[in-house]
Amino acid sequence: MTKRLFVKGNEAVAMAAIEAGCRYYFGYPITPQSDIPEYLSRELPRLNGEFIQAESEIASINMLLGASATGVRAMTSSSSPGISLKQEGISYMAGSELPGVIVNISRSGPGLGGIDASQSDYFQAVKGGGHGGYHIVVLAPSSVQEMYDLTMLAFDLADIYRMPAMVLADSVVGQMKEPLVPNKRPAADLPDKDWAVRGKGDGEQRVVKSLFLGDGELEAHNWKLYRKYQELKARECRWEACQTDDADLLVAAFGSTARIAKTAIMMAREEGLKVGLLRPITLFPFPERAFLEATERTKKVLVVELNTGQMVEDVRLSVARDAEVAFYGRPPGAGSLPTPEELLEQIRQHY
């Protein structure tokens, strides 16, 4: 049996990256994600890997682009303002169809904001963030175990679909310690990287690019990317449904907020209120069908987020037409985390 460890969420990300075969990391320190580069700076050299603290977030994302183009598994990590600086490089990776993992242990904003827990990067992550109308895979862990498991999944999905994948968490899950079972890398049917750049030698030239100047080339490329996103929606949506079968009210939440919502739901059940949780694990692709099917029976939904309303927009687009969607948000600030009692009161109001 694999032994259980007691580790931080950020450390779980770094451990998973190594287990997934990542040997190249490029990043820059920023609170509250700095445990990730700290861990990898110690461990990667022992594995003949490369750790580079770049001179900036912009440099680090472009180093990731270059490493990915050679076919190796590589990653970067940062927190919200740093991810903003990486957006142009992420767009170039998406346009070049390059895999790579980006971890965002998000903090409060806009601007420099602060280091409080926040879920205000949802729009930036799932709607593309940079120029060009692209998407990336976005996974939202709610526990230390999921920080580990979903990081490994991110590497696989990035390789399978040839696109960047993001693990989107916050300082609650990143900094907390929980038991972790460090599972071995799961088997996955991964495609050959016959697109990776290399020396020409006697073979054909390989070029990775996002510049298409021929007549109709860029339009065809964008439709190709669109078909990839549709395939993701059909095959890779993930969610957790908790006590939804008999629910009269659904609470929708992701990441750390879903942990608090679960406790509030247990308290509501003790009062005789039939409440369930629907938690998206993939934020892109968003589990639209799960919300549609759930609200064909349960017509009331309460969305809870650590922001002023972002995921709620996707919930409203996904539910049955006659479903009612309410929102309760807590933007970053002093005492920004809602208590279970606070969410219970919201449940009572919207039940």
Side-chain angles (χ1 to χ4, degrees):
M1 178 182 291
T2 304
K3 64 180 180 180
R4 300 174 77 198
L5 305 176
F6 190 56
V7 301
K8 276 187 177 184
N10 286 342
E11 293 170 336
V13 167
M15 293 166 60
I18 290 173
E19 179 63 29
C22 174
R23 294 295 181 268
Y24 301 89
Y25 174 90
F26 316 98
Y28 191 81
I30 181 173
T31 304
Q33 66 85 47
S34 294
D35 309 276
I36 299 173
E38 180 180 352
Y39 188 100
L40 292 173
S41 68
R42 181 183 70 241
E43 298 299 327
L44 282 180
R46 298 175 181 175
L47 300 168
N48 295 319
E50 291 291 339
F51 170 91
I52 296 180
Q53 179 174 310
E55 66 270 27
S56 69
E57 289 88 351
I58 296 172
S60 64
I61 191 64
N62 284 292
M63 290 177 183
L64 177 62
L65 185 155
S68 175
T70 70
V72 301
R73 283 194 158 182
M75 70 173 285
T76 187
S77 64
S78 192
S79 298
S80 305
I83 297 294
S84 296
L85 289 168
K86 296 178 190 286
Q87 288 302 323
E88 182 183 51
I90 297 172
S91 174
Y92 270 77
M93 289 184 68
S96 303
E97 296 186 272
L98 289 174
V101 171
I102 303 139
V103 179
N104 182 0
I105 308 300
S106 59
R107 54 187 272 173
S108 54
L112 192 57
I115 62 173
D116 299 336
S118 172
Q119 295 181 324
S120 298
D121 291 359
Y122 180 93
F123 281 158
Q124 182 195 59
V126 307
K127 307 301 181 184
H131 64 286
Y134 65 91
H135 287 287
I136 63 175
V137 175
V138 183
L139 303 170
S142 68
S143 66
V144 170
Q145 185 67 55
E146 283 193 341
M147 291 283 270
Y148 184 90
D149 295 338
L150 294 183
T151 296
M152 284 204 285
L153 177 62
F155 278 101
D156 284 348
L157 293 178
D159 279 349
I160 292 169
Y161 293 94
R162 277 188 64 183
M163 60 191 298
M166 176 176 285
V167 176
L168 179 63
D170 60 45
S171 59
V172 173
V173 185
Q175 291 294 323
M176 73 185 302
K177 280 191 171 185
E178 280 187 325
L180 166 71
V181 178
N183 298 311
K184 294 298 182 182
R185 176 180 174 181
D189 185 13
L190 302 177
D192 292 334
K193 295 185 176 181
D194 54 5
W195 47 264
V197 297
R198 53 169 172 71
K200 186 173 183 300
D202 296 327
E204 63 179 349
Q205 184 182 28
R206 294 178 180 176
V207 177
V208 172
K209 65 177 183 177
S210 61
L211 180 65
F212 300 90
L213 298 178
D215 188 26
E217 282 186 347
L218 184 56
E219 179 182 5
H221 181 64
N222 274 284
W223 282 119
K224 177 186 177 184
L225 296 178
Y226 171 82
R227 290 190 294 271
K228 182 186 301 187
Y229 306 146
Q230 296 306 110
E231 183 182 0
L232 270 170
K233 291 181 180 181
R235 298 178 56 183
E236 304 296 349
C237 289
R238 289 169 170 80
W239 66 91
E240 177 192 9
C242 179
Q243 301 193 78
T244 58
D245 290 343
D246 66 341
D248 295 324
L249 171 69
L250 292 176
V251 176
F254 72 94
S256 61
T257 308
R259 299 173 63 99
I260 306 171
K262 274 189 177 180
T263 302
I265 287 167
M266 292 172 57
M267 296 165 65
R269 286 273 173 174
E270 291 174 358
E271 293 184 3
L273 304 179
K274 295 180 180 179
V275 186
L277 173 71
L278 194 54
R279 173 176 73 98
I281 296 173
T282 52
L283 301 184
F284 185 87
F286 192 75
E288 298 169 356
R289 181 162 294 279
F291 276 90
L292 175 60
E293 292 178 353
T295 53
E296 286 174 347
R297 180 199 175 279
T298 305
K299 298 303 180 183
K300 294 182 179 180
V301 182
L302 172 62
V303 181
V304 181
E305 302 179 68
L306 295 182
N307 55 48
T308 54
Q310 295 190 17
M311 185 184 75
V312 64
E313 295 189 6
D314 285 330
V315 173
R316 287 176 174 145
L317 289 171
S318 303
V319 297
R321 293 181 64 183
D322 56 345
E324 300 175 11
V325 178
F327 173 73
Y328 182 70
R330 288 292 297 272
S336 60
L337 290 177
T339 64
E341 292 77 12
E342 192 176 329
L343 296 189
L344 176 60
E345 181 57 35
Q346 291 297 315
I347 288 171
R348 292 177 182 140
Q349 291 181 25
H350 294 97
Y351 189 77

